[in-house]
């Protein structure tokens, strides 16, 4: 479907993810997404980062775009088991998914902060041994790279490490059983609409294949990148993760009564989404194939 099909909506990824309506459903999805990332990459701290801080008795870690803080909570458990005293700070522009402080580990704090805004709070400059980021390309795709890397460099101590993980948002893989044969027509249509809409807004994701180059160009040293294949056993869960996102997109298409000539109305989207769900109930899955991890050290 042509890009205009999505242009008829008011969907703007730069504001969608900070809307108050991104509430308990989104938080539940973030828990699922976290476990799927962990199942795929197999670590909280990438091996080069873990090795670099192995002898540390104290650490300060920042998680950018922390969501509900689940990564930090798991990291707190892992570091506590090793006897490491760590201050773990999460930052997000949307606080609606933050747990109450009483239900967070003692060393975990979550605070509101636009990590791409300037100036950054002075007290955060050069404060962290590790800066972590995950699944941020949905905010603004390739345009997020320079400001994110600048933020990471600013927050890191000399010799500190950035660890950044992303799914391959430039790729959708749709698979279905062949016996009996299962349709994937609705799933493929949704993917085409999303890709056309992203293209119309200039959202490109090719940079995900060369994140290591971007880190090097921003002055990071000891840069390492790797891609991990998602597990077959997790494909259904990845599918459900994407379905939760797609369901919420309905409100960004116009009602048929208000825009009867629109290439895609809200009613049409709901119908298409329902058919996609039926396909997944018959065994079809959708995923993005790989998780990309890149790490780099700030010069000492």
């Amino acid at each position: 479907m042509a890009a205009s099909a999505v242009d008829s909506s008011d969907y703007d990824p730069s504001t969608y993810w900070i809307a108050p309506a991104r509430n308990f459903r989104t938080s539940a999805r973030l828990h699922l997404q976290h476990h799927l990332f962990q199942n795929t990459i197999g670590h909280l701290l990438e091996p080069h980062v873990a090795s670099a801080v192995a002898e540390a008795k104290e650490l300060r870690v920042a998680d950018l775009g922390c969501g509900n803080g689940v990564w930090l909570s798991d990291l707190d458990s892992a570091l506590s088991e090793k006897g490491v005293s760590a201050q773990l700070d999460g930052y997000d522009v949307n606080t609606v998914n933050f747990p109450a402080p009483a239900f967070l580990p003692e060393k975990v704090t979550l605070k509101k902060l636009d990590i791409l805004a300037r100036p950054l709070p002075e007290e955060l400059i050069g404060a962290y041994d590790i800066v972590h980021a995950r699944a941020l390309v949905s905010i603004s795709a390739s345009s997020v790279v320079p400001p994110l890397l600048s933020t990471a460099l600013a927050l890191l101590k000399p010799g500190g490490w950035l660890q950044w993980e992303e799914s391959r948002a430039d790729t959708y893989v749709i698979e279905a059983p062949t016996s009996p044969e299962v349709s994937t027509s609705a799933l493929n249509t949704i993917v085409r609409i999303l890709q056309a809409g992203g293209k119309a807004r200039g959202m490109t994701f090719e940079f995900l294949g060369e994140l290591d180059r971007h880190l090097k160009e921003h002055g990071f040293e000891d840069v390492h990148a790797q891609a991990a294949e998602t597990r077959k056993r997790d494909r259904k869960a990845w599918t459900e993760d994407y379905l939760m996102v797609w369901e919420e997109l309905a409100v960004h298409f116009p009602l048929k009564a208000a825009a009867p000539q629109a290439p895609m109305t809200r009613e049409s989207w709901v119908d298409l989404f329902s058919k996609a769900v039926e396909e997944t109930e018959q065994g079809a899955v959708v995923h993005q194939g790989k998780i990309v991890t890149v790490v780099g050290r700030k010069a000492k």
Side-chain angles (χ1 to χ4, degrees), residues 32-45:
L32 174 60
Q33 176 181 275
H34 169 72
H35 290 297
L36 290 172
F37 266 72
Q38 294 311 123
N39 287 350
T40 303
I41 62 178
H43 54 252
L44 289 165
L45 293 179

Side-chain angles (χ1 to χ4, degrees), residues 1-155:
M1 186 170 293
S4 59
V6 179
D7 291 344
S8 63
S9 77
D10 62 357
Y11 173 57
D12 181 352
S14 67
T15 58
Y16 176 78
W17 297 106
I18 63 173
R22 311 280 74 76
N23 53 14
F24 70 91
R25 290 180 182 272
T26 293
S27 184
R29 184 184 62 78
L30 291 174
H31 280 290
L32 174 60
Q33 176 181 275
H34 169 72
H35 290 297
L36 290 172
F37 266 72
Q38 294 311 123
N39 287 350
T40 303
I41 62 178
H43 54 252
L44 289 165
L45 293 179
E46 191 272 347
H48 293 91
V49 179
S51 177
V53 301
E55 302 302 319
K57 296 302 181 184
E58 296 183 355
L59 287 174
R60 193 169 180 191
V61 181
D63 188 18
L64 308 184
C66 66
N68 54 21
V70 61
W71 182 82
L72 287 172
S73 293
D74 278 3
L75 183 63
D76 175 79
S77 297
L79 293 177
S80 295
E81 290 176 0
K82 296 179 179 180
V84 178
S85 176
Q87 177 59 49
L88 309 176
D89 300 327
Y91 299 103
D92 205 299
V93 70
N94 185 4
T95 64
V96 71
N97 293 316
F98 287 4
F103 302 118
L104 285 170
E106 181 181 357
K107 297 297 185 179
V108 174
T109 63
L110 306 181
K111 301 176 183 178
K112 182 175 183 177
L113 178 69
D114 183 350
I115 61 174
L116 304 182
R118 298 293 184 270
L120 293 166
E122 186 65 30
E123 65 272 16
L124 302 184
I125 304 301
Y128 292 98
D129 301 286
I130 299 169
V131 169
H132 175 258
R134 174 180 288 180
L136 294 183
V137 294
S138 59
I139 301 172
S140 53
S142 59
S143 62
V144 79
V145 176
L148 175 62
L149 294 181
S150 295
T151 294
L153 280 171
L155 299 186

Side-chain angles (χ1 to χ4, degrees), residues 16 26 31 89 117 141 162 167 199 240 255 281:
Y16 176 78
T26 293
H31 280 290
D89 300 327
L162 168 65
S167 59
K199 184 177 180 180
E240 293 161 348
L255 291 168
E281 290 172 345

Side-chain angles (χ1 to χ4, degrees), residues 229-265:
E229 295 275 355
T230 57
R231 305 187 312 176
K232 182 185 293 187
R233 72 189 77 172
D234 291 334
R235 299 284 164 77
K236 177 173 169 56
W238 280 111
T239 301
E240 293 161 348
D241 182 71
Y242 297 125
L243 288 176
M244 283 190 272
V245 175
W246 295 353
E247 182 180 34
E248 293 182 347
L249 294 179
V251 297
H252 298 287
F253 292 93
L255 291 168
K256 184 176 182 179
Q261 303 304 316
M264 177 62 68
T265 63

Side-chain angles (χ1 to χ4, degrees), residues 216-296:
K216 292 173 183 177
E217 290 178 351
H218 277 76
F220 283 91
E221 301 177 351
D222 295 336
V223 174
H224 303 273
Q226 60 180 347
E229 295 275 355
T230 57
R231 305 187 312 176
K232 182 185 293 187
R233 72 189 77 172
D234 291 334
R235 299 284 164 77
K236 177 173 169 56
W238 280 111
T239 301
E240 293 161 348
D241 182 71
Y242 297 125
L243 288 176
M244 283 190 272
V245 175
W246 295 353
E247 182 180 34
E248 293 182 347
L249 294 179
V251 297
H252 298 287
F253 292 93
L255 291 168
K256 184 176 182 179
Q261 303 304 316
M264 177 62 68
T265 63
R266 189 173 307 175
E267 292 88 345
S268 297
W269 179 264
V270 170
D271 181 65
L272 179 63
F273 175 77
S274 296
K275 291 177 179 176
V277 171
E278 290 178 4
E279 291 174 353
T280 66
E281 290 172 345
Q282 296 300 313
V285 297
V286 57
H287 59 96
Q288 292 181 320
K290 297 180 180 180
I291 299 296
V292 178
T293 301
V294 62
V295 301

